[in-house]
Amino acid sequence: SNASASLGNIRNAQDAQQIAISLWNNYVEKTPQRTKLIDAFMAFLMVVGGLQFVYCVIAGNYPFNAFLAGFSATVGQFVLTASLRIQTNADNENDFKNLSQERAFADFVFGSMILHFFCVNFIN
């Protein structure tokens, strides 16, 4: 009974590993380079936000508004980048028929400028 349960766990782990490998291979083969670049930037933003949070926990948050401004900038930029990724994804073409990729990028840049203007002003 115990051996069959551990055998089932091994099969589930192997299945999960096969699914993960299949997802990764599909991503590498079929995802456009531009989307991979956006994904890399989103991963960078996640790392930066995580580092800011860990620093705040370890070293303290004395200038709390500076932490809030920096963390809000990374979270806000992540959201704007996710929106850009959705709008420029070829699979979502039908949902954004009237929106060119250039317009989506211009909206991204404009939103990023507004976000950072408010974050810089919030630092004081």
Side-chain angles (χ1 to χ4, degrees), residues 62-114:
Y62 164 61
F64 189 62
N65 54 341
F67 163 72
L68 281 180
F71 193 73
S72 299
T74 57
V75 171
Q77 194 64 51
F78 183 88
V79 170
L80 288 169
T81 308
S83 176
L84 176 67
R85 187 188 195 284
I86 291 168
Q87 291 175 0
T88 58
N89 190 347
D91 294 337
N92 299 332
E93 226 170 62
N94 292 333
D95 296 329
F96 300 102
K97 289 179 185 174
N98 299 328
L99 185 68
S100 68
Q101 291 194 356
E102 291 80 10
R103 170 65 192 268
F105 185 71
D107 290 346
F108 169 77
V109 169
F110 184 67
S112 297
M113 290 173 56
I114 291 173

